[in-house]
């Protein structure tokens, strides 16, 4: 099963991806996580991406297309994968289709997690991250101990792009550059919209229902 998690920043893609990864053993490919890792390791890609990311802008398509082509060629993607944060533009989606066609693969489902702007702003401004990749929220999904990761006990931090100026920029960028992908995948008849305003566990139940249909098709 090859799936894409689509939705605005703060919709809960990363939160649901962790649950899907555990339940379905699908590799979770978050381009945001890969770029942040490159920034931490001071790689050429990290240096190029850093200023775009801190302003809440998109990193240029050509860098992302090379990154995703390389990541999808890894062995762990042979039996399926889950993309989180890619594609974010139509050229990225077109490139993905070409990459997959070349290797005889296709996207089975695009889960579009829908949440309104007010809720997104609350979620992003209260988000706290851990270096291990876990994400929490100061009110909605708080760690057992304040500012300490439940999983690895690391110290939680706020992402630079979760500060107010970057949040409003990211929501505008989403509307202009990423939202058109909803129509793009709807026309291909693989889009499934999920109400992302519910509780984390309720949303996961809904996602499982949708993915069960594809899982059954896969094993037929
Ligand atoms: P995305 O990956 O789409 O940017 P995240 O999964 O990081 O979003 O979620 C953004 C923030 O909202 C995090 O702090 C997370 O803990 C919180 N969150 C995620 N899903 C929900 C939900 N259904 N209800 C309330 N808060 C949520
Ligand atoms: P995320 O962790 O998905 O919220 O992504 C954080 C930031 O990484 C985005 O605001 C962009 O600057 C950059 N980024 C992640 N994925 C992409 C992508 N597919 N295209 C362009 N920029 C991206």
């Amino acid at each position: 099963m090859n799936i894409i998690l689509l939705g605005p920043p703060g919709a809960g893609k990363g939160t649901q991806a962790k649950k899907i990864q555990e339940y379905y053993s699908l590799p979770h490919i978050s381009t945001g996580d890969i770029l942040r890792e490159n920034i931490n390791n001071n790689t050429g890609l990290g240096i190029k991406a850093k200023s775009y990311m801190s302003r809440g802008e998109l990193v240029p398509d050509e860098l992302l297309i090379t990154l995703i082509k390389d990541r999808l060629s890894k062995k762990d993607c042979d039996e399926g994968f889950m993309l989180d944060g890619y594609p974010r533009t139509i050229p990225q989606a077109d490139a993905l289709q070409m990459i997959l066609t070349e290797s005889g693969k296709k996207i089975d489902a695009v889960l579009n997690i829908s949440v309104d702007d007010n809720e997104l702003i609350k979620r992003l401004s209260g988000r706290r991250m851990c270096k291990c990749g876990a994400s929490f929220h100061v009110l909605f999904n708080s760690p057992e101990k304040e500012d300490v990761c439940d999983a690895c006990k690391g110290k939680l931090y706020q992402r630079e792009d979760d500060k107010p100026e970057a949040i409003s920029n990211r929501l505008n960028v989403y509307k202009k550059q990423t939202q058109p992908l909803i129509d793009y995948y709807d026309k291909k008849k693989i889009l499934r919209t999920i109400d992302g305003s519910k509780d984390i566990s309720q949303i996961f139940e809904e996602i499982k229902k949708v993915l069960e249909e594809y899982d059954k098709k896969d094993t037929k």
Side-chain angles (χ1 to χ4, degrees):
M1 195 163 47
N2 302 328
I3 62 177
I4 294 176
L5 296 179
L6 191 65
K13 301 181 295 298
T15 304
Q16 295 301 328
K18 294 270 178 288
K19 291 179 165 289
I20 297 169
Q21 176 179 35
E22 220 167 89
Y23 194 81
Y24 289 95
S25 304
L26 280 181
H28 170 205
I29 303 177
S30 157
T31 45
D33 285 351
I34 297 173
L35 291 170
R36 281 184 287 278
E37 201 181 311
N38 275 273
I39 292 179
N40 288 338
N41 294 332
N42 234 355
T43 66
L45 172 62
I47 293 165
K48 286 186 197 140
K50 192 173 180 173
S51 62
Y52 296 99
M53 288 176 74
S54 59
R55 291 195 302 270
E57 282 165 22
L58 295 187
V59 175
D61 283 341
E62 57 276 18
L63 295 176
L64 264 295
I65 292 168
T66 308
L67 181 162
I68 210 73
K69 188 169 185 188
D70 178 57
R71 181 62 188 87
L72 288 176
S73 71
K74 302 256 154 71
K75 198 137 187 46
D76 66 338
C77 295
D78 284 357
E79 302 297 320
F81 56 81
M82 166 178 41
L83 296 178
D84 162 11
Y86 186 100
R88 264 177 153 102
T89 64
I90 301 274
Q92 289 184 18
D94 286 339
L96 175 66
Q97 178 148 356
M98 275 182 56
I99 295 165
L100 293 178
T101 306
E102 274 170 16
S103 49
K105 294 180 183 171
K106 65 174 177 47
I107 295 295
D108 298 302
V110 177
L111 305 180
N112 170 39
I113 306 183
S114 166
V115 177
D116 72 44
D117 279 6
N118 282 338
E119 177 69 14
L120 292 173
I121 292 168
K122 282 188 218 155
R123 288 190 189 176
L124 290 170
S125 49
R127 174 160 64 184
R128 295 295 179 270
M129 300 293 298
C130 178
K131 273 206 181 116
C132 77
S135 136
F136 299 88
H137 191 281
V138 289
L139 300 175
F140 309 142
N141 181 22
S142 54
E144 276 166 25
K145 193 165 170 226
E146 204 181 325
D147 285 335
V148 177
C149 175
D150 288 351
C152 77
K153 310 290 171 218
K155 187 168 166 43
L156 302 184
Y157 67 95
Q158 186 175 33
R159 272 169 52 172
E160 197 57 41
D161 60 354
D162 281 344
K163 301 202 170 141
E165 326 71 69
I167 290 180
S168 74
N169 202 19
R170 283 161 75 207
L171 294 179
N172 287 333
V173 165
Y174 168 77
K175 286 190 181 117
K176 266 200 217 124
Q177 304 199 59
T178 308
Q179 200 157 264
L181 290 175
I182 295 180
D183 229 30
Y184 178 100
Y185 285 118
D186 195 29
K187 287 201 178 109
K188 294 184 188 292
K189 309 230 177 303
I190 52 175
L191 187 90
R192 303 293 296 261
T193 294
I194 309 277
D195 177 0
S197 64
K198 299 182 184 160
D199 282 355
I200 293 173
S201 53
Q202 281 177 304
I203 299 169
F204 183 54
E205 288 308 310
E206 204 176 321
I207 290 178
K208 275 202 294 194
K209 261 192 228 150
V210 169
L211 292 186
E212 258 155 36
E213 294 170 27
Y214 295 93
D215 222 17
K216 274 183 210 143
K217 276 188 214 158
D218 261 8
T219 49
K220 264 185 196 163

